[in-house]
């Protein structure tokens, strides 16, 4: 058993397909305003480590759109809540450079120490929203080498190539070697 602390059921469902023994602890924690996802994770790990006994992981992700100087990046959650996918498509309306990168950093508290596991997925921003699966920016993100958006894929397909899938497989390898 290993706990993922998140308020986001979608993330948990994706992660459970890779590490079935994961348990979700539904809890909010402070996400500081910082320049990098790594700093957000470091702060949250220390904060939660003081509050919670035992081992756990957390996930923080962001979408970095190259033509927008990597916006929304660390502001991805706020931007999704405010302007959403429609707003991003509007910002990208007359833009032909559509490359973007999804990044996940999974933070792990293990035996009182902090660890980080990173996963990247390159792709591009679609011209319109497509698909019903997944969550967040999935309907506007087309991973490299594909024509479908993440929202047009099954969870298994997305996991195989996604930022979160890659980071989580590193976690799985770590746990296999050092875990209980
Ligand atoms: P956070 O990791 O929960 O802070 O996520 C930041 C923002 O990115 C939120 O609006 C999420 O909905 C979105 N997001 C995180 N992971 C993904 C993903 O795998 N696909 C699409 N959107 C995501």
């Amino acid at each position: 058993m290993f706990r993922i602390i998140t308020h986001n059921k979608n993330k948990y469902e994706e992660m459970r397909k890779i590490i079935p023994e994961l348990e979700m602890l539904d809890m909010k924690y402070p996400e500081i305003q910082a320049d990098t996802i790594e700093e957000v994770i470091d702060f949250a790990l220390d904060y939660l480590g003081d509050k919670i006994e035992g081992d756990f992981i957390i996930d923080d992700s962001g979408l970095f759109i190259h033509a927008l100087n990597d916006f929304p990046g660390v502001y991805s959650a706020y931007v999704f809540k405010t302007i959403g996918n429609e707003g991003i498509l509007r910002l990208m309306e007359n833009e032909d450079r559509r490359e973007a990168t999804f990044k996940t950093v999974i933070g792990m508290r293990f035996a009182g120490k902090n660890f980080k596991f990173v996963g990247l997925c390159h792709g591009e921003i679609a011209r319109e929203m497509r698909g019903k699966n997944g969550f967040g920016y999935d309907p506007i993100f087309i991973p490299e080498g594909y024509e479908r958006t993440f929202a047009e894929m099954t969870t298994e397909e997305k996991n195989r190539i996604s930022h979160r899938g890659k980071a989580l497989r590193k976690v799985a390898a770590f746990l296999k070697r050092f875990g209980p």
Side-chain angles (χ1 to χ4, degrees), residues 11 31 60-61 76-77 80 102 135-138 158 163-164:
K11 282 187 185 176
E31 290 191 10
D60 196 40
S61 304
S76 291
F80 188 76
F102 254 124
F135 65 101
Y137 297 106
D138 280 348
K158 179 183 170 188
H163 42 307
R164 183 165 301 102

Side-chain angles (χ1 to χ4, degrees), residues 27 43-54 56 109 112 114:
M27 181 177 160
F43 182 89
L45 280 176
D46 287 338
Y47 173 90
L48 289 167
D50 284 344
K51 289 217 169 341
I52 289 172
E53 291 278 324
F56 59 84
R109 189 83 166 178
N114 296 345

Side-chain angles (χ1 to χ4, degrees), residues 11 14 24 26 50 58 67 70 87 99 104-105 168 174 178-179:
K11 282 187 185 176
E14 285 185 12
M24 174 170 164
D26 188 343
D50 284 344
I58 52 177
D70 283 347
E99 302 84 45
T104 288
V105 181
L168 204 60
F174 178 99
F178 302 109

Side-chain angles (χ1 to χ4, degrees), residues 71-90:
F71 181 85
V74 286
Y75 307 106
S76 291
Y78 180 74
V79 168
F80 188 76
K81 260 187 274 166
T82 50
I83 63 171
N85 285 329
E86 295 87 353
I88 295 286
L89 289 178
R90 230 174 294 126

Side-chain angles (χ1 to χ4, degrees), residues 95-115:
E95 185 55 71
D96 288 329
R97 282 179 50 225
R98 307 195 69 86
E99 302 84 45
T101 302
F102 254 124
K103 176 173 178 176
T104 288
V105 181
I106 294 180
M108 178 193 283
R109 189 83 166 178
F110 183 78
K113 292 197 180 70
N114 296 345
F115 299 88

Side-chain angles (χ1 to χ4, degrees), residues 54 108 121 131 166:
M108 178 193 283
C121 181
K166 287 177 186 163

